[in-house]
Structure formats: structure tokens, C-alpha cells
Amino acid sequence: MTKHVIVIGAGIVGVSSAIWLKRFGHDVTIIDRDGPGQGTSFGNAGLLAACAMVPVTTPGLIAKAPKMLLDPDSPLFLRWSYLPKIAPWLVRYLKHANDPDTRRISSNLADITADTVDQHFALTEGLKAREYLCKSDYVFAYSTCNEFNEDRYTWQLRRDHGFEPTVIEGPAVQEFDPSFGPKITCLAIVKDHGFVTDPGGYVAALAREFEEMGGRVIAATVKDIETRSPGRPSVVTSAGPMDADAVVLASGAWSKQLMSKLGVSVPLESERGYHIVMKNASGAPRVPSMISSGKFVATPMARGLRCAGIVELGGLEAGPSDAPFAMLRRKISEAFPNLEFDSEETWMGHRPATTDSLPLIGQVRETGVYTAFGHQHVGLTAGPKTGRIVASLISDQPTNQNLTAYSPHRFGV
């Protein structure tokens, strides 16, 4: 049965949901304030991070966090004025920094990340947007092999899910990729990954092709979701009210307020991320490379080298901080001493982070509203699969996946 579905949010998750819904035969409208690919999906490492199933909250984080916050070379930052507001969220978040929770979260993340390359290629089947996709290795760069060995816990989790690295050291590092400087002496290389040459352009291209399929994209602000009758939601927007048979809530870090209007309290915060694009760069790595000392990924893209990462806790309202950019520049210079570029472009955006590091995927009670947000670091990676799952749920098709861990009701009301 054809349904009219409204998708709130035009990032990778929302646009993926819309395309799969159209393929299932539905009448679909996307609503977004800023336009396709202009939010969090614009600014990221562009990585199809198949092995990104290890959460930030690994064992030992509680002991390490205070020192990291005081170290200007650490990838963890906090706007101290925001601490009173974020403290309750932070307490719940850090409670997961133990082995049983880490293994449980890792397993559930792997279910939506491990096949990311296949999912992106399935999403772009027959579409021109496929030209933005590249298959590649994924490199983890360490100062020493001792640092790699100290990372054994996270590597064992990756191995448990089928990702075995090839480790090279010494002169073989520069033979593999001459862009690495002498401070990088050990690489762990993982196959079967990929990247997007222009994340914002990719999502915008997908949205254009969605419109060519007969879908609609409307620029408007969503103010409320009403559920006056069972399974018949209505979206209140700056362009007027819009009735639907189903709604997909895929507005990332901005989803919390709309969920509260549905009577569901979600412990969601912005995990602010930063990137710098070195335009027309030479001396850059040839494949996406995670620089361990700064926990950022350097990805060769169409416009230059993009270096993206950082975790800053500071909410949705404050502007970018200077310290994360300064740290990124220092670490980039250390890793790639021969890097040359014409100019740089900076960006800060908002990753939607839940206290258990898992997204919300599923229907809110029997309202006809389906959640598809909270992906933290893996939005681009897991977006196409999430969209496919949500489209299947709305179409009453089997998902072949246990979605209990992603329930929008797991935090209570």
C-alpha cells in the first residue's frame, strides 16, 4: 500500500531513507531547514568506516578523561561553561565505560557498520551519485608499534568482527605511503573500506536523484509533530501543517526536542566535531588514515585533504572553539611534514550522541513516527543501512535484523 511519508532531515540518513521509501513505492517528502547535505553530513571524514564498531566509552576512559581534558594535544575538549548542563548526560555516558557494555555496544554497532561499502553501493545502484564513492584500505598510523600494541583492546574487538590488520613498521611505512613523516613508524592497514570524495556533494546529488524519482524536498523548519489519531502523524512546519501516513525523524542532534513533543525523553547531546580542508594539497596520504596521536582521519577528497575528528562537548548553541583547530594543525604537521596546500577551510558541526553510543531506529509507540538518528561517529557509515531498515519497517517488510538494541523507548519516557 502506497503511503505518504515525510522525512524530517536531509542528511545521509534522511536522504537514504527517502530513496529506499521511493523504491518501495511510497509518496515521499523530505523537509529540511538548510537543504540536503548541509548539516552534519557535510562535515566529516568521508570514511565508510566498516570497522568503526568500538565506542568512545571503552574501559579506562573514566581514569583517562580528566588528564585528556587538560592536555592541549588531546582530541577531547570541553567548554567548561557547558559542564553544569551536560553533567547528567555525562554521568550516564561514562557508566558504559566497562568491558561488558563495550562488547555489547560494539556488537550492535557492527551490525550497522560492517557492510557499509555494500550498503552505499546498493543505495547508489543505477544512480549518478555513485561516482562519489571509492573503495579503499583504511590505515591506522602510530608513532610506534608500542602504541599499536597498547591499542590491543580495540583491535581485538575489530578482529572479533572480522577485521584483521596488516601491520608494517620502519622504512616500510614510507614505502607504503611517502606522505608519512618520520614520526609515523607503524601502520595497521585494514582492507574492505571506502570513502566519499565530497560528502556534502554526495548527499546533495542523492537528493537531486530522489527528486528525479518523483520525491519532493521542501525547505522549512519543523516546529512540532502531532499525533492526533493513531498512526496518522502531522508535521507542523514554518510552511504550514502537513499530514502523513508515516514520519521519519532523521534530524540528528536536533531530534531531541521533537522527541520530547512525542512524550519521549532521549539523553542526546551534540558531540561537536571539527575538520580542516587543505585545498589543492600535495604530500597528502593516498587513502584515509587515522592519525592515532590526534584521533583524526586524514582523507584525500576532491577539494583537497580533509582532516576530521575531535570530540568537544559544548552543546548546539556555541560557536567553534579555537583550541581544536590548533591541535589539528599541530598533529597534521607532525604526521605529514611535506604537506603543501593553497588555503584552508574550517568547519564545526554536531554529531548526535546518545549515552549508550547507539542510534534510535524504530517506531515511537504506534504513532507512525519512526526514529533514525543518534549515530554519533558513524552517521555516514551507517546511514544507507539505517534508511533501508526504516523503509522496510514502514513498508511492513522484514528487516532480517533484531532492532531491540536501537529501540527509541530503551531510555524510558
Side-chain angles (χ1 to χ4, degrees):
M1 183 179 69
T2 299
K3 297 179 180 179
H4 176 219
V5 184
I6 293 175
V7 178
I8 302 172
I12 184 62
V13 179
V15 173
S16 296
S17 300
I19 288 175
W20 281 114
L21 283 162
K22 284 299 296 180
R23 287 174 174 167
F24 277 115
H26 299 296
D27 177 26
V28 188
T29 301
I30 298 175
I31 303 175
D32 192 280
R33 179 186 58 195
D34 299 320
Q38 296 306 300
T40 305
S41 291
F42 177 88
N44 52 65
L47 181 66
L48 307 186
C51 71
M53 72 285 296
V54 183
V56 173
T57 51
T58 53
L61 177 63
I62 295 174
K64 292 186 291 186
K67 182 180 179 181
M68 293 174 70
L69 288 171
L70 297 174
D71 182 355
D73 281 334
S74 162
L76 178 61
F77 293 84
L78 171 67
R79 293 183 72 96
W80 292 99
S81 61
Y82 194 67
L83 181 58
K85 186 171 183 179
I86 201 174
W89 179 93
L90 199 55
V91 169
R92 293 177 70 175
Y93 182 68
L94 291 173
K95 282 183 178 178
H96 293 94
N98 59 74
D99 182 64
D101 278 342
T102 299
R103 292 184 182 278
R104 174 182 56 80
I105 293 167
S106 180
S107 179
N108 288 308
L109 283 174
D111 286 344
I112 58 172
T113 63
D115 60 349
T116 177
V117 176
D118 289 342
Q119 293 290 337
H120 275 268
F121 273 80
L123 176 69
T124 57
E125 181 67 38
L127 304 182
K128 295 188 289 292
R130 180 171 285 186
E131 67 186 19
Y132 288 89
L133 301 177
C134 294
K135 294 182 179 181
S136 73
D137 294 338
Y138 180 24
V139 171
F140 291 77
Y142 294 89
S143 298
T144 67
C145 280
N146 282 338
E147 284 188 3
F148 166 72
N149 291 330
E150 289 170 359
D151 219 4
R152 65 176 66 88
Y153 181 84
T154 56
W155 278 109
Q156 188 55 56
L157 288 174
R158 294 182 185 118
R159 289 185 176 101
D160 290 345
H161 293 97
F163 295 95
E164 180 69 41
T166 298
V167 180
I168 62 176
E169 56 184 308
V173 168
Q174 282 69 38
E175 292 173 10
F176 175 82
D177 192 334
S179 69
F180 289 115
K183 289 191 176 182
I184 303 296
T185 69
C186 180
L187 301 181
I189 304 162
V190 189
K191 296 188 178 300
D192 301 324
H193 281 67
F195 66 98
V196 180
T197 59
D198 176 0
Y202 174 54
V203 176
L206 287 169
R208 287 193 297 272
E209 297 194 82
F210 161 73
E211 290 182 289
E212 291 171 5
M213 297 174 186
R216 293 177 298 277
V217 178
I218 296 175
T221 299
V222 175
K223 300 178 178 180
D224 198 357
I225 303 175
E226 298 178 344
T227 54
R228 293 175 180 172
S229 59
R232 292 285 297 172
S234 179
V235 179
V236 180
T237 81
S238 57
M242 301 180 188
D243 294 332
D245 297 303
V247 169
V248 178
L249 179 52
S251 52
W254 289 269
S255 302
K256 181 177 180 176
Q257 184 177 359
L258 290 174
M259 286 292 284
S260 68
K261 292 178 179 296
L262 295 171
V264 180
S265 177
V266 179
L268 188 74
E269 274 290 343
S270 167
E271 199 178 88
R272 293 149 58 99
Y274 288 74
H275 85 220
I276 300 175
V277 176
M278 281 72 175
K279 296 181 180 178
N280 301 316
S282 61
R286 56 187 180 85
V287 297
S289 302
M290 164 67 80
I291 309 305
S292 180
S293 63
K295 292 293 187 291
F296 69 90
V297 179
T299 306
M301 291 190 180
R303 299 183 63 197
L305 178 67
R306 180 180 292 188
C307 298
I310 310 295
V311 171
E312 185 189 41
L313 302 175
L316 289 169
E317 303 301 326
S321 303
D322 293 332
F325 287 126
M327 189 279 275
L328 265 178
R329 292 186 183 101
R330 288 194 300 273
K331 294 299 182 179
I332 293 166
S333 179
E334 290 176 6
F336 309 109
N338 298 317
L339 182 68
E340 296 182 356
F341 53 94
D342 293 342
S343 60
E344 69 171 38
E345 176 184 278
T346 60
W347 179 92
M348 185 276 289
H350 303 279
R351 307 184 193 100
T354 60
T355 50
D356 66 359
S357 302
L358 295 172
L360 281 72
I361 306 172
Q363 185 175 190
V364 179
R365 297 187 300 277
E366 301 297 324
T367 60
V369 178
Y370 293 78
T371 56
F373 66 87
H375 291 78
Q376 205 161 350
H377 295 261
V378 296
L380 182 65
T381 295
K385 187 163 191 176
T386 300
R388 197 171 190 169
I389 291 170
V390 169
S392 296
L393 292 173
I394 292 172
S395 305
D396 298 318
Q397 298 294 318
T399 62
N400 299 318
Q401 188 164 341
N402 186 342
L403 301 178
T404 303
Y406 319 107
S407 169
H409 299 294
R410 68 184 186 270
F411 301 109
V413 295

